[in-house]
Structure formats: C-alpha cells, structure tokens
Amino acid sequence: MIKPRALSGFPEYLPAQQLAFNRVLSIIRATYEAHGFTPIETSGVEHRDVLTAKGGDDAEIYALTRLNAGPDERETDLALHFDLSVPLARYVAQNESQLVFPFQRSQIQKVWRGERPQAGRYREFYQADIDVIGRGSLSLMYDAVLPAVVSEALTQLDIGPFCIRINNRQVLQGYFEGLGLAPAAVPQALRILDRLEKVGIDRVRADLTTTFCLNEETLSPLLDLATAGLASEAVLAELEGQTVNAVFDAGVADLQRVLSGLRDLGVPDSNFQLDLSVARGLGYYTGTVYETRLLAFPGLGSICSGGRYENLVGNFHTGAFPGVGMSIGVSRLVPALLEAGLLGVSAATTAQVLVTLLQPEFQGEALRLGAELRAQGVNTEVYLEPHRLGQQLRYADRKGFRLAVMVGQTELQAGQVRVKDLQTGEETVVGRAQWAHDLRRRL
Amino acid sequence: MIKPRALSGFPEYLPAQQLAFNRVLSIIRATYEAHGFTPIETSGVEHRDVLTAKGGDDAEIYALTRLNAGPDERETDLALHFDLSVPLARYVAQNESQLVFPFQRSQIQKVWRGERPQAGRYREFYQADIDVIGRGSLSLMYDAVLPAVVSEALTQLDIGPFCIRINNRQVLQGYFEGLGLAPAAVPQALRILDRLEKVGIDRVRADLTTTFCLNEETLSPLLDLATAGLASEAVLAELEGQTVNAVFDAGVADLQRVLSGLRDLGVPDSNFQLDLSVARGLGYYTGTVYETRLLAFPGLGSICSGGRYENLVGNFHTGAFPGVGMSIGVSRLVPALLEAGLLGVSAATTAQVLVTLLQPEFQGEALRLGAELRAQGVNTEVYLEPHRLGQQLRYADRKGFRLAVMVGQTELQAGQVRVKDLQTGEETVVGRAQWAHDLRRRL
C-alpha cells in the first residue's frame, strides 16, 4: 500500500477550484484569440541542447531518463521545457518557411523547473504567453498592442485594479553607459536596479555605487525619478529634458510612442505606468520591458512580465526575427485570487441540472429527460444510483447544481415534471411538453 | 548555432492544424461537460512508486533528474505520468474525504511514454478520459452512460461512422474457467484472444489450443460467435442459451443490461456492437470492456477504449472504489483525420477580420475600428506594419481571414469603411455609424 501524497511545487485543485482555474484560462484564451493571437502548442519536451542554447540562462531543468530501459539506453538527450520562449524560438526557426509574419501566437501550457523542493516554489506551472514575431523587422506599435491585450484580459477577469509597469532597457542602458559603465557591465547594474522594490532604494543606491565606483549624485537623476511616484507623462517629460546619449534618446522616444499607442488602443491610464525601476533580469530583452502588479496583492510580485527582444531565434537561425512578448503566470495568480475570494467558486460540476429518480423503474424516462435538456443546451447529469431522494438531493447540494428535476409516478401520470431550485428550495411543477424549453429560459 | 529539428514521437502542428486539433478537443470537452463530467487536472509528474505501484504494468516511464544540480542532488524520485488512470486513482485516494461520489470526472491532458524512438510510436500524446468512481458500489448503468457520452462526442466531431465494441470480461473469464483453465491462467488466454483482429482467427485458435492443451471444438462456441459478424441481439441470444457457470451468466446478464441501457440513452444501434473478441490487455478491467473503431480507418486501431474496474485505488487506499472509464486517444486520432481531410483546416488565425491600413497616419483610427469590432464579438486583428496594401491582403489571404477592412483618407472623409470579402473578392462600402454591427451580422 502506497500513501498518496501531494507533491510540493506541483499544484493540483479540487473540482470546484479547478473549474475556477479553467475559467481564468478560458477568459485569457478568449481575449488572446479575439485579437488574433493564434494558439500553438509545442511538445513539453525538447532536446537538451535546445534548452541550454542560451548559455547565460541558469534555469533549473528536468532531464528525462528511461526508467525501464537497460543501463545503456536509460540516458536520453531530452528534457522538459522551462518556459515557452525557447520552444517558440525553436518552433519559429524550424517552421519559418511555413509561417506567416508578423506571426502572432498565443501559447498556454505547463512548464517545469527542476528546483530543489522549497515552500512557495512551483516546479510545475502554467504560463499564458503571447508574442508577435516579425521577419526582419517588427513595428514598435506591437509593444503597445501586447499590454493592451493583457489589460483587456485582466479587466475581463475582474480581479481588481492592476498596473502594467512599462520601461525601456535602452533608457537604462544609455543612462549607465553615460555614467561610464562598459556596455557589458550594464546587465549587472540592471539586475541590481531590478531589486529596487524588494530591497529598497538605499540598498540599490549603495550596491550601484560600490559595485561600479559611482558617485551617488550621478545616480540621482535616475533613482529619484524611479521612486518619485510621478505620473507617466511627468517622468517622460523629465527624461526628455535630460541630455545623455543616442541610446538613451532612442529609448525615451520609443517609450513615448508606446505610451501614446496604449492611449490610442483605449487602455485606461490607470492600467499602465512608466516605471524606470523595471529592468527584468533576463538578458535577451533589448527594448520595452513590462511587469504587472495587482494593486491589492503587493506581495505577489509581477503576474505578467515580458518585453521586446531583437534576436529571438539567434541560436537556431541566421535570420533576424525580432519580437515582443508577455506572459501571464497563471499558476501563481490563481491561488492568490482563490484565497482572496476573488474567483467565483460555487459548483463542483459542469452540469446545471441533476435529474433525480424517485422510483428505479423510471430510469429510462430520467435518461430521456436528461437528453432533452442537453438538446436545449442545458448541461445535465442523471443520477443513476438506487439511493433515496434525500441522498440524491444532498449530492446535488454538495456539488452545486442549480436545479434538481424529479421524476416519479405521480408526475409522469399527470404529464408533469417537478423542479426544485436548489438555491431557494422552491419547488414548481411544469408540463411535460414544453418543460425543457422552459427550464433553459430559467437558467 | 543549433539546428532546430522535430522530435520523433512528440507531435506538433502548424497553426491551421493546431486550430483543427483544438476544435476536436473543444468538442470532446464540451460533450463531457454537458453530461456533468467535471474536469480535473493532475500534475504531469508523480512519485515513481505511485506510477509503478501496479507492478504488472510494464509501461515505459520517463524519470526526471535535475540537470543543473550537483551529482548528489540530480536524482529525484519523480517521473512523468504515462496515463491518466493511475493519477486518477492517486487523486481519488488522496482527496477522498473532499470529493462527492459518484465522482464523475473528465481529464484531458498529455501523457508521456519513455519508449525507444520508433516510427509511428508516440512518446507524448493527449488522452481525453472520462470516468465515474463510486464509493462502495457503482450502478451498472454507468457502463452504458460512458459509451453514450463517447458516441455523442464522436457524432459531434462528424468524422464518419464508428462502432463502439462492447464486451464483458466475466463472460470470457467464465468461459475459459468452464474449459478448465485456472483463474490465474485466464489473463494469458485473454491476451491471445485480444490479438484476434491482428493475427486472425486461425492463429488465435492455434495459440489457445497449444498453450492450454485445449480441444479445438471446445473453443468453437466462443470463437465462432466472436467472428460470425452477428448483430448484438443474436450474439446475446446465443450466449444466453449456453450453460457454462455463474461467472459467465453474470457477465451475460450485465452485457444484456448495458446494451439495453444504451438504447434507453438513445444511442443508435449502428454506433455500438457486442464483440466477444474485445478482451483488453490491461489486467485491471473486471467487467464491461470497450474498444472503438472508425469504420473508414480499419488500420487505425481503437481510438477509444476502456472498461469497468472494481478496484481503482487498491494500491493507495483500503476502501472500495469501483469505477468505469473510457479514454479517447486524441493524438492518434487527429493526424488520421487531418490526412483524410475530415477536419476543416482553413484559417491559420483565430481572427475573422483584418483591419488594414492605407496610410500610416490613420493607425489610431484602425485601432479604434478593431476595438469596435471586438466589442461586437468579432475577433479582429489590426495590421501594424507599414507595408503596402497588396502585402497586407496577401497576409490576410495566407492566414485565412474572412474579411479585410480598409481604412484610408477617402473612406474616413466620407464617413465610410471599405470591406473586402476575401473569399469572393467582392468589395463593399459601409457607413461608419452602424458598420461593426453590420459586419457581425455578415459573419
């Protein structure tokens, strides 16, 4: 006998919570599809060299071995993907001649991280990605489209106020180069800046000054702006007033166009903000970068991040395929929403109606009633165990059906069906002829 | 530079085919949900001892190691699930006190088999399962409900005629025991019988007679019936006329009730058949067993199999949890349907309308038009690259949009929008005020 136990870092849900999770995925998927982000799915498994191609990335990876093979055959060169960006790059490089560019794709899948088990760390989780990939070039306007789509998805989810924080790495790159840092040293500065929210401004200032022997004052124009809490327009005006270098100016100009694009796209000002502290740790972002906070959940971290990259498929293809992408971390988002009661969790069934059975001999009639309801588009289950009505109604209550239909001799002889509203307890009797149609209208 | 290459056994699709695949999954999912089979999802990863608990099962399993960990930490006790039945058993045993029984669940997920790479063998594939699990007991009527749900799903898919072949292992068990086989020897006889379609009746007869020292004639009542091609009712009548033993009689009675239940459920006679050669290799089936063939694809094998098991969670729990389940092998089904042209593969986009751009300065207006259409429920993409109209329309054609909307100075000044039907080539001009509403009605 083996004790079944939960696997830490591999989240699972009971049926009611699973339905809430699925609704979140459906809303995100529908919003992505409404904008023409067409779903693809890549295998969960890649060649190891594909996953480790990027080199700098030290993601924890699960490699696969064949448990039941002989010792010589056990090792494979396969591993589980740890994000959806590397698989996208491989997919685009592999299928380039058959894809149509700009390639707008969505991808909602599980990914795995081979981490040491640790509280709060997911080892299996869902990501819901959108990216647009261009061949040769890609309009900057897509950098505004992506947060607009995410803003719409989060609005549809109805999970409270949120803010998509937007920055441009060229602004930071230009700024730090302007302070005398070698271009190759800038990523380290960005990683320090990226921790601003976590460790605070004083620590970031100290780390930057000591690591790069910088004068505190030269950092002020950036750090003061990053923490002043000004509106996007005010930050932009400040940036436009600074004289740094061409890289900086290009970044500021792009930021300005992206923010203005977001307004053209009808995204409310409250849903996004220019935030100079957003740097993103990942090396491959080259322009616009995003992070997203739910305002009621400051401790949750970013629930949707991403950015612009100039060289998606560089490890797999000689062509230039710039792109921009964002990724919603669904598996981290949903538990927080469930805990806060922000997702409706009511039923543990996809059916609205339960057909119960007062006498076993009317099972055939119960099955026919169920089929009639389903033909009207009403999801319906028929209870088939020979239990008393009380137990059947308890089952209906516990699973959260809306209505119970009762079939017994009295009703059948009178050409009627009895219907119980499980929320109000009210019972009504409807005629057999039009009943399925009537019921559908009540739901 | 790493050459991106397809992984044999890990199927992937281009966008248009992926959309067709997703439609198949959606139809199956919707049918399952209409009957109250509520979706759950288990982690793709289980403890190894959970996966290997069944002992007799020699499924090829992928074990996980942590690629980037130190030598002492690399090995884990984790592995990828190879089906959805073992995870279901573990899930039910683990969550038993919080589930409501009968537990009707659906589960549509990928599973992995750690096989040697081989043409035609999938190493990653989708299964779409439904099961009903009882606590203590489970009505035999569920053995009719399951094929009825599958019959409805396959009918909805509109992929040609199919036949769900139904048998009961007690019939076979009783028959072989009646011939003098020890109960423990019967599984081997069933595995021989199960190969009837593959190797032919003569080979099966020879294998059974030599393996068990049986007289050919004692096998005739079974093998003749299994190959006579009689209608279910005729086979049933023959079985009912035979005197064997109590196990046999119980199996025949159950078969009779399941077939009659299928008729109560409104399943057309052409969609199912009693077939005595269906034995199923897996050891845990104890009663009803199913296999399903698409009549136009005799070489495809069973696309949906399953059966009744009396002891789902035996390795994990002391309680009795009988169940019955079926599983559609979606990843094997879809490629055959695609190849035969039985799935509509037209568009490589989820959007119906592409808003094109005649002059870059009207980008804002194009974005507003797109938002208006989406607000009417029309999936719409806005083309944002500064390309000529010809290139934009080629993009729309290649991706399979239904309509292209054109925004230019002339139209804007006249308060109009130009719309091109990409199937007929016809162009019309509609007024700006009601246009989104009009367009929705045309689609």
Side-chain angles (χ1 to χ4, degrees):
Chain A
M1 189 77 60
I2 291 152
K3 189 174 160 45
R5 61 260 192 225
L7 256 171
S8 126
F10 292 83
E12 283 185 350
Y13 293 105
L14 288 167
Q17 286 75 22
Q18 182 74 55
L19 282 173
F21 186 92
N22 292 0
R23 275 194 299 274
V24 168
L25 282 189
S26 293
I27 289 171
I28 293 170
R29 185 179 292 117
T31 309
Y32 288 176
E33 295 193 353
H35 288 261
F37 284 82
T38 301
I40 66 159
E41 185 166 339
T42 60
S43 60
V45 172
E46 298 278 348
H47 285 293
R48 288 188 195 180
D49 60 357
V50 166
L51 292 179
T52 54
K54 224 179 275 165
D57 201 329
D58 53 2
E60 296 278 0
I61 293 175
Y62 276 129
L64 303 184
T65 60
R66 295 177 52 214
L67 190 55
N68 294 353
D72 294 349
E73 291 187 319
R74 287 192 52 147
E75 283 282 331
T76 71
D77 67 337
L78 305 176
L80 293 174
H81 61 202
F82 58 85
D83 74 1
L84 302 176
S85 297
V86 175
L88 172 65
R90 191 264 308 151
Y91 181 94
V92 168
Q94 184 180 323
N95 299 300
E96 179 240 338
S97 64
Q98 292 166 279
L99 299 176
V100 188
F101 294 88
F103 178 49
Q104 287 203 173
R105 85 87 171 81
S106 66
Q107 193 169 350
I108 301 180
Q109 284 184 244
K110 280 180 177 171
V111 303
W112 291 268
R113 301 269 164 103
E115 313 224 15
R116 200 179 291 113
Q118 212 176 333
R121 278 289 175 90
Y122 287 111
R123 295 191 277 168
E124 171 177 291
F125 52 100
Y126 266 100
Q127 291 195 330
D129 283 23
I130 37 174
D131 289 79
V132 188
I133 314 293
R135 178 153 51 194
S137 66
L138 183 72
S139 162
L140 184 68
M141 275 315 289
Y142 287 106
D143 296 39
V145 167
L146 264 75
V149 175
V150 167
S151 171
E152 195 173 312
L154 296 178
T155 303
Q156 294 285 337
L157 285 175
D158 193 19
I159 51 177
F162 59 87
C163 184
I164 302 174
R165 302 173 176 186
I166 302 177
N167 196 8
N168 187 300
R169 283 180 71 150
Q170 287 190 278
V171 173
L172 302 176
Q173 183 84 27
Y175 191 85
F176 283 111
E177 287 183 21
L179 295 185
L181 267 66
V186 173
Q188 197 188 345
L190 297 190
R191 280 193 294 276
I192 293 172
L193 179 64
D194 204 42
R195 293 166 49 79
L196 195 150
E197 200 171 35
K198 205 175 247 170
V199 302
I201 178 70
D202 293 337
R203 177 68 188 272
V204 165
R205 188 183 285 116
D207 283 355
L208 285 174
T209 49
T210 56
T211 308
F212 301 107
C213 301
L214 292 172
N215 185 322
E216 277 200 15
E217 270 150 46
T218 62
L219 287 168
S220 286
L222 179 70
L223 294 186
D224 291 355
L225 260 184
T227 52
L230 298 176
S232 303
E233 284 311 310
V235 178
L236 209 51
E238 286 284 340
L239 291 175
E240 283 166 346
Q242 295 189 17
T243 309
V244 182
N245 52 28
V247 175
F248 180 88
D249 289 349
V252 173
D254 281 1
L255 258 182
Q256 189 276 324
R257 286 162 64 204
V258 169
L259 294 174
S260 131
L262 275 159
R263 296 204 182 88
D264 280 345
L265 281 153
V267 181
D269 269 14
S270 56
N271 292 1
F272 65 93
Q273 183 160 25
L274 195 173
D275 186 331
L276 290 173
S277 74
V278 173
R280 304 301 303 145
L282 290 172
Y284 56 86
Y285 294 123
T286 50
T288 313
V289 282
Y290 316 96
E291 285 186 5
T292 309
R293 307 294 166 121
L294 287 187
L295 302 193
F297 299 84
L300 190 58
S302 175
I303 57 157
C304 180
S305 306
R308 155 78 69 152
Y309 38 87
E310 287 310 324
N311 198 15
L312 174 72
V313 306
N315 297 305
F316 310 115
H317 199 287
T318 53
F321 292 89
V324 56
M326 292 183 83
S327 175
I328 301 180
V330 187
S331 294
R332 199 141 57 87
L333 176 61
V334 169
L337 298 175
L338 283 172
E339 205 181 320
L342 284 175
L343 297 178
V345 176
S346 46
T349 172
T350 52
Q352 299 150 286
V353 176
L354 181 72
V355 180
T356 63
L357 202 58
L358 302 187
Q359 289 97 12
E361 62 268 35
F362 301 121
Q363 199 171 61
E365 179 67 5
L367 293 172
R368 275 189 291 281
L369 288 170
E372 286 176 32
L373 272 178
R374 280 191 291 272
Q376 289 288 336
V378 177
N379 292 357
T380 305
E381 178 181 331
V382 181
Y383 198 90
L384 292 168
E385 297 291 347
H387 296 149
R388 294 192 192 160
L389 183 63
Q391 187 171 349
Q392 298 183 51
L393 291 178
R394 221 160 31 244
Y395 171 88
D397 264 338
R398 287 189 65 192
K399 281 212 171 165
F401 290 88
R402 292 275 309 281
L403 301 175
V405 168
M406 286 170 257
V407 193
Q409 192 155 20
T410 326
E411 291 79 13
L412 279 176
Q413 281 172 347
Q416 292 176 328
V417 174
R418 197 141 53 93
V419 179
K420 178 171 183 172
D421 186 312
L422 294 165
Q423 278 154 9
T424 65
E426 190 194 1
E427 287 192 25
T428 48
V429 168
V430 295
R432 182 76 181 76
Q434 277 286 308
W435 80 287
H437 187 69
D438 286 357
L439 230 65
R440 182 175 61 114
R441 294 216 328 233
R442 275 178 57 178
L443 284 163
Chain B
M1 187 78 59
I2 292 153
K3 191 175 157 45
R5 62 260 193 224
L7 256 172
S8 126
F10 293 82
E12 281 185 351
Y13 294 106
L14 288 168
Q17 285 75 23
Q18 181 74 55
L19 282 172
F21 187 93
N22 292 1
R23 274 194 300 274
V24 169
L25 282 189
S26 292
I27 289 170
I28 293 170
R29 185 179 293 119
T31 309
Y32 288 175
E33 296 193 353
H35 288 261
F37 285 83
T38 300
I40 66 159
E41 185 164 340
T42 60
S43 59
V45 172
E46 299 277 350
H47 285 293
R48 288 188 194 180
D49 59 357
V50 166
L51 292 178
T52 55
K54 221 176 278 164
D57 201 329
D58 53 2
E60 297 277 3
I61 293 175
Y62 276 129
L64 303 185
T65 60
R66 295 176 53 214
L67 189 55
N68 294 353
D72 294 349
E73 292 188 317
R74 287 191 52 148
E75 283 282 331
T76 72
D77 68 336
L78 305 176
L80 293 175
H81 61 202
F82 57 85
D83 73 1
L84 302 176
S85 298
V86 176
L88 172 65
R90 192 262 310 152
Y91 181 93
V92 168
Q94 183 180 323
N95 300 299
E96 178 241 339
S97 64
Q98 293 167 278
L99 298 175
V100 189
F101 294 89
F103 178 49
Q104 288 204 171
R105 84 89 172 79
S106 66
Q107 193 169 350
I108 302 180
Q109 285 184 242
K110 280 181 176 172
V111 304
W112 292 267
R113 301 268 165 103
E115 314 225 15
R116 199 178 292 110
Q118 211 175 335
R121 279 288 175 89
Y122 286 110
R123 295 191 277 168
E124 170 178 291
F125 53 99
Y126 266 99
Q127 291 195 331
D129 283 23
I130 38 175
D131 289 78
V132 189
I133 315 292
R135 176 153 52 193
S137 66
L138 183 72
S139 163
L140 184 68
M141 275 314 291
Y142 289 106
D143 296 39
V145 168
L146 263 75
V149 175
V150 166
S151 170
E152 195 172 312
L154 296 178
T155 304
Q156 293 286 336
L157 284 175
D158 193 21
I159 52 178
F162 58 89
C163 185
I164 302 175
R165 301 172 176 186
I166 301 178
N167 196 9
N168 187 300
R169 282 180 72 150
Q170 286 189 279
V171 173
L172 301 176
Q173 183 83 27
Y175 191 87
F176 283 110
E177 286 183 21
L179 295 185
L181 267 65
V186 173
Q188 196 187 347
L190 297 190
R191 279 194 294 275
I192 292 172
L193 180 64
D194 203 44
R195 293 165 50 78
L196 195 151
E197 199 172 35
K198 204 175 246 171
V199 302
I201 179 68
D202 293 337
R203 176 67 189 274
V204 165
R205 188 182 286 113
D207 283 355
L208 285 173
T209 49
T210 56
T211 308
F212 301 104
C213 300
L214 292 172
N215 185 323
E216 276 199 15
E217 271 150 44
T218 63
L219 286 168
S220 284
L222 178 70
L223 294 185
D224 289 356
L225 260 185
T227 52
L230 298 176
S232 304
E233 284 311 310
V235 178
L236 209 49
E238 287 283 342
L239 291 176
E240 283 165 347
Q242 295 188 18
T243 310
V244 181
N245 52 28
V247 175
F248 180 88
D249 289 349
V252 172
D254 281 1
L255 258 182
Q256 188 277 325
R257 286 163 64 205
V258 169
L259 295 174
S260 130
L262 275 160
R263 294 201 185 88
D264 280 345
L265 281 153
V267 181
D269 269 14
S270 56
N271 292 1
F272 64 94
Q273 183 159 25
L274 195 174
D275 185 332
L276 289 173
S277 74
V278 172
R280 304 299 304 146
L282 289 172
Y284 57 87
Y285 293 124
T286 51
T288 314
V289 282
Y290 316 96
E291 285 186 4
T292 309
R293 306 294 166 122
L294 287 188
L295 302 191
F297 299 83
L300 190 57
S302 176
I303 58 156
C304 179
S305 306
R308 156 78 69 153
Y309 39 87
E310 287 310 324
N311 198 15
L312 173 72
V313 306
N315 296 306
F316 310 115
H317 199 288
T318 54
F321 293 89
V324 55
M326 293 183 82
S327 175
I328 302 180
V330 187
S331 294
R332 198 141 57 88
L333 176 61
V334 169
L337 299 175
L338 283 172
E339 204 180 322
L342 284 175
L343 298 177
V345 176
S346 46
T349 173
T350 53
Q352 299 151 287
V353 175
L354 181 71
V355 180
T356 62
L357 201 59
L358 303 187
Q359 289 98 11
E361 62 268 34
F362 300 122
Q363 201 171 58
E365 179 69 5
L367 293 172
R368 275 189 291 280
L369 289 170
E372 286 176 31
L373 271 177
R374 281 190 293 270
Q376 289 288 335
V378 178
N379 292 358
T380 306
E381 179 181 330
V382 180
Y383 199 89
L384 293 167
E385 297 290 348
H387 295 147
R388 293 190 193 164
L389 183 63
Q391 187 171 347
Q392 299 183 51
L393 291 177
R394 221 158 34 242
Y395 171 88
D397 263 339
R398 286 189 64 193
K399 281 213 170 164
F401 289 87
R402 291 276 307 283
L403 301 175
V405 167
M406 288 170 258
V407 193
Q409 192 156 20
T410 325
E411 291 78 14
L412 278 177
Q413 281 172 349
Q416 293 176 329
V417 173
R418 198 142 53 94
V419 178
K420 178 171 183 171
D421 186 314
L422 294 165
Q423 278 155 8
T424 64
E426 190 193 0
E427 286 192 26
T428 49
V429 169
V430 294
R432 182 74 180 76
Q434 276 286 310
W435 80 287
H437 187 70
D438 287 357
L439 230 63
R440 181 174 61 113
R441 295 214 329 234
R442 275 178 57 178
L443 283 162

